[in-house]
């Protein structure tokens, strides 16, 4: 299994911290799956509120 890209990790942490105002330690203690779920949820909220483009973290 390939390691998770560091750039993507920083993007996810920044995304969650920016929208939910959670600190670095809180976000970094989440496992990958939980962080991805929060990114998805924030993207849904953001899209509804701002009619924003699709989730930038969507890899489907």
């Amino acid at each position: 299994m390939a390691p998770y890209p560091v750039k993507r990790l920083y993007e996810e942490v920044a995304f969650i911290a920016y929208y939910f105002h959670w600190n670095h330690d809180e976000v970094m203690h989440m496992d990958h799956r939980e962080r991805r779920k929060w990114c998805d949820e924030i993207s849904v909220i953001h899209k509804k509120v701002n009619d924003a483009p699709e989730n930038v973290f969507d890899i489907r």
Side-chain angles (χ1 to χ4, degrees):
M1 180 186 292
Y4 197 65
V6 174
K7 183 178 184 328
R8 180 65 73 160
L9 175 63
Y10 278 106
E11 290 171 347
E12 290 176 2
V13 171
F15 190 70
I16 295 168
Y18 178 81
Y19 282 99
F20 281 174
H21 307 285
W22 292 348
N23 70 43
H24 177 266
D25 289 339
E26 288 175 305
V27 180
M28 288 301 292
H29 281 98
M30 295 177 189
D31 63 34
H32 169 69
R33 195 170 296 191
E34 183 177 6
R35 249 189 342 269
R36 290 285 310 165
K37 181 62 179 161
W38 283 115
C39 287
D40 291 343
E41 293 299 322
I42 293 166
S43 292
V44 168
I45 293 166
H46 187 252
K47 184 174 167 105
K48 286 179 183 176
V49 171
N50 298 309
D51 196 28
E54 292 295 316
N55 178 356
V56 298
F57 293 102
D58 192 6
I59 57 174
R60 291 175 232 158

